[in-house]
Amino acid sequence: EVQLVESGGGLVQPGRSLRLSCVASGFAFDDFAMHWVRQVPGKGLEWVSGITWNSGNIAYADSVKGRFTISRDNAKNSLYLQMNSLRPEDTALYYCGRGRTYSVYDPFDYWGQGTLVTVSS
Amino acid sequence: EIVLTQSPGTLSLSPGERATLSCRASQSVSSNYLAWYQQKPGQAPRLLIYGASSRATGIPDRFSGSGSGTDFTLTISRLEPEDFAVYYCQQYASPWTFGQGTKVEIK
């Protein structure tokens, strides 16, 4: 069974940093692209960042470019999102999602349950 | 960036009725890289359709997708009680963008 479990969310002050993790199980992690998507509670979905199976292709939404860094450790079946210079508008539930194939140009066929990030003083 | 506009915002229907949801793109979506997701309260989204018209694994055949270029449609042929939810379209031709969602509610 495919499982994605996010962690690392919490309450953080504006300007501070946070690192999210997503641990995968039930599939060959290094065969698939991975993504982060966020959702303000009660609002719509916003893609944040994506990374190919071998970290060879990485992309970011303009809203986080230069502040967030996506990475993965295939040996640990883990995906990460380093979030620096956090802003109140970064407050959201952060999901990790699996790309349908190794390519980053694919929809997301499995999602975790999300980890909540709250940026507030 | 491709902007996706979904309509209507809310669709009020009864079980057994047909639902037709629209997703319009601000520019042509290359290779029909268009997907549809279903999201229920407190749950993560679930992939329904990819490539504009291919059903994801395990998705019932009452869900179908169509369209190309800038106009796409998700059709639910006969609504079941578990189909009442919010539906999002997404284009994954980089950068990835989502529509604002259509809520299908019980009339």
Side-chain angles (χ1 to χ4, degrees):
Chain A
E1 179 193 4
V2 171
Q3 282 199 317
L4 299 170
V5 180
E6 303 95 336
S7 62
L11 174 63
V12 62
Q13 293 179 327
R16 302 298 291 266
S17 300
L18 210 55
R19 188 194 196 205
L20 305 184
S21 299
C22 170
V23 176
S25 60
F27 67 99
F29 183 71
D30 53 5
D31 277 350
F32 294 88
M34 298 294 295
H35 296 261
W36 289 100
V37 176
R38 67 186 181 184
Q39 184 174 37
V40 175
K43 302 296 184 183
L45 300 164
E46 180 188 16
W47 171 80
V48 173
S49 182
I51 185 169
T52 49
W53 66 279
N54 63 351
S55 305
N57 191 348
I58 289 174
Y60 298 97
D62 285 345
S63 58
V64 306
K65 201 172 292 183
R67 300 187 299 123
F68 290 10
T69 302
I70 191 172
S71 63
R72 63 189 296 162
D73 184 337
N74 288 344
K76 295 182 177 180
N77 290 346
S78 294
L79 175 73
Y80 305 102
L81 186 68
Q82 177 66 42
M83 304 187 296
N84 298 333
S85 304
L86 282 161
R87 304 167 180 169
E89 55 264 37
D90 295 319
T91 294
L93 185 65
Y94 284 72
Y95 293 104
C96 70
R98 189 186 85 166
R100 206 176 61 87
T101 70
Y102 63 89
S103 171
V104 72
Y105 300 110
D106 251 322
F108 316 145
D109 60 355
Y110 286 93
W111 300 60
Q113 285 305 303
T115 186
L116 183 62
V117 173
T118 304
V119 184
S120 174
S121 54
Chain B
E1 174 179 301
I2 297 178
V3 176
L4 300 178
T5 303
Q6 293 186 239
S7 61
T10 302
L11 201 50
S12 299
L13 294 168
S14 301
E17 289 193 293
R18 181 184 188 91
T20 303
L21 287 66
S22 173
C23 177
R24 179 161 292 177
S26 59
Q27 55 188 281
S28 185
V29 178
S30 60
S31 304
N32 284 344
Y33 283 169
L34 194 286
W36 290 92
Y37 297 84
Q38 176 193 69
Q39 187 178 33
K40 297 179 181 179
Q43 296 184 17
R46 176 173 73 141
L47 178 65
L48 300 175
I49 300 287
Y50 64 94
S53 60
S54 297
R55 268 188 302 276
T57 303
I59 301 304
D61 60 8
R62 64 180 181 273
F63 291 92
S64 63
S66 63
S68 64
T70 60
D71 288 292
F72 299 88
T73 300
L74 174 70
T75 301
I76 311 171
S77 58
R78 288 181 312 280
L79 282 164
E80 297 287 340
E82 62 268 26
D83 299 336
F84 291 91
V86 178
Y87 293 83
Y88 294 95
C89 59
Q90 177 207 29
Q91 64 83 21
Y92 46 95
S94 184
W96 296 248
T97 53
F98 290 90
Q100 82 279 17
T102 290
K103 182 179 182 180
V104 178
E105 65 176 23
I106 299 176
K107 187 174 181 180

